Amino acid sequence: MTAPDATVLALHYQNDVLHPDGRIRVGLDADGTARRRLLERASALLTGARAAGLPIVHVRIAFRPDYADLLANCDIFRNVASIGAVAEGQWGSAFYEGLQPLSGSRREFVVKHTRISAFYGTPLEETLRVLGARRLVVAGVATHSVVEGTVRHAADIGFDVMVAQDACASADPAVHEASLASMRLIARTGPVAQALRWAAAPD
């Protein structure tokens, strides 16, 4: 049996993004119901990927505590510095408990980035090529930011992509839906269960 050629990208499942006390609110607002739903689906994605033997690349955003490595050329990055979010070594930049990489796993990897696309200035593409990935299941927070930016980059460099839409979120549900609609020009979209089936057995 041929091994799957798919890899899961889990984007920004970090405390500052997901925890009620987190500082970043572009992906989730204070609504506990939306947060619980997102956490359940993200957990199902990681659990399902592990059960299927799929590699997982966990992508985290983090900056030096003095933000000297942050290029503040747009509002999203200026805001990160002003609120003191995702500083390296701090609670906010750490993975949310339950969605962190499995310790000691040879099938899970961590990539740190400092821009919108998870590919920009990182070894992500090289890691995926070494893994033999041709197809990517992408999920994370926020849908209209890191997810869409990464999906567009992935499509441009030749990957076949599916977005696990219920393991993604934007604070404004209309923005989430608009981003998914936009991405359908370059990627498949569907719930976690469908994305895992697609990853395990190409259609």
Side-chain angles (χ1 to χ4, degrees):
M1 179 175 173
T2 304
D5 60 355
T7 293
V8 172
L9 297 188
L11 308 174
H12 293 190
Y13 289 150
Q14 297 168 252
N15 287 327
D16 261 345
V17 179
L18 298 182
H19 196 280
D21 297 330
R23 300 183 182 192
I24 296 176
R25 286 285 173 263
V26 296
L28 289 169
D29 58 18
D31 180 2
T33 301
R35 178 176 287 103
R36 279 195 302 276
R37 185 166 54 245
L38 182 280
L39 294 175
E40 287 170 1
R41 302 323 299 152
S43 178
L45 175 64
L46 298 182
T47 299
R50 288 164 182 151
L54 299 173
I56 303 171
V57 180
H58 303 261
V59 177
R60 57 190 290 270
I61 188 165
F63 300 94
R64 282 175 34 163
D66 61 2
Y67 295 102
D69 57 344
L70 186 151
L71 180 60
N73 64 317
C74 51
D75 282 348
I76 193 168
F77 291 116
R78 285 189 286 270
N79 186 55
V80 164
S82 70
I83 64 177
V86 289
E88 191 66 271
Q90 304 299 315
W91 171 85
S93 67
F95 288 108
Y96 187 87
E97 186 175 356
L99 300 180
Q100 72 273 28
L102 283 183
S103 178
S105 172
R106 295 175 59 84
R107 303 290 286 169
E108 301 194 27
F109 306 83
V110 176
V111 169
K112 182 182 88 75
H113 74 136
T114 58
R115 300 306 292 168
I116 294 172
S117 168
F119 288 93
Y120 189 86
T122 76
L124 178 56
E125 181 178 359
E126 291 85 348
T127 300
L128 293 170
R129 302 298 185 194
V130 168
L131 289 170
R134 187 178 60 81
R135 297 174 302 126
L136 304 178
V137 172
V138 181
V141 181
T143 314
H144 62 288
S145 183
V146 66
V147 174
E148 186 167 351
T150 298
V151 166
R152 291 189 177 281
H153 198 142
D156 273 347
I157 58 177
F159 289 100
D160 194 0
V161 183
M162 182 163 189
V163 179
Q165 62 191 40
D166 49 346
C168 304
S170 298
D172 183 341
V175 172
H176 169 77
E177 292 299 333
S179 180
L180 290 172
S182 178
M183 285 189 283
R184 287 184 186 116
L185 293 171
I186 55 171
R188 296 168 173 82
T189 66
V192 164
Q194 182 182 346
L196 288 170
R197 287 194 300 272
W198 175 79
D203 56 13

